[in-house]
Amino acid sequence: MEQSLFKVKTQVRVRNYEVDWQGVVHNTVYLLYFEVGRLEYFRKLGLRINAESIQKENKVVLVRNEINYRSAARYNDVLDVYTRVSSIGSTSFVMEGLLVRHESDSIVGENVAVHVWLDPKSDRPVMIGDEFRKAVRQFEGPAVTVG
């Protein structure tokens, strides 16, 4: 993943309870870090994220979540979480995440997450709305593939 393509960055600091008995961040915690990045991305786009909008308007579910672990994060590390939408299909979109150790700029992990847009009543996939497509296109520019 090319770090220069990412326009949203947020930071997390590794907390003591996120570290396993080997002294490194437990593998499942990385998923939480990437989720923090995805929520921050949506906030930057100005999309409403609350219980009402998710239940009645913008029901989006995560259907695939991949992580490539590159190096271990440890207690008190400050990590930069970079997030972007890399592609939008008819009913799904792909978000990428990059986790980088702030002090050394070394890559800790990479994430690819596929989301599907659902009808809130039927839970069936529906076309992604024009508002979301337009917001992402304007924000990402030519770095996003829109199908």
Side-chain angles (χ1 to χ4, degrees), residues 30-87:
Y30 292 90
L31 294 169
L32 297 173
Y33 296 158
F34 288 118
E35 180 70 7
V36 167
R38 288 192 295 269
L39 289 172
E40 186 61 27
Y41 182 93
F42 292 138
R43 282 188 191 95
K44 293 266 190 213
L45 254 61
L47 299 176
R48 290 186 334 133
I49 302 173
N50 58 41
E52 183 178 342
S53 70
I54 290 170
Q55 293 169 2
K56 295 182 181 174
E57 302 166 23
N58 304 316
K59 189 167 186 181
V60 177
V61 294
L62 182 65
V63 297
R64 186 172 189 165
N65 210 0
E66 301 173 18
I67 297 178
N68 291 323
Y69 301 96
R70 300 293 182 207
S71 64
R74 299 183 181 284
Y75 170 71
N76 214 31
D77 281 351
V78 175
L79 305 173
D80 296 328
V81 185
Y82 293 90
T83 309
R84 66 186 288 260
V85 171
S86 59
S87 67

Side-chain angles (χ1 to χ4, degrees), residues 31 36-37 39 45 62 81 97 101 103 106 111 123 128 141 144:
L31 294 169
V36 167
L39 289 172
L45 254 61
L62 182 65
V81 185
R101 189 170 287 100
E103 291 80 14
S106 62
N111 176 243
D123 279 340
I128 295 174
V144 64

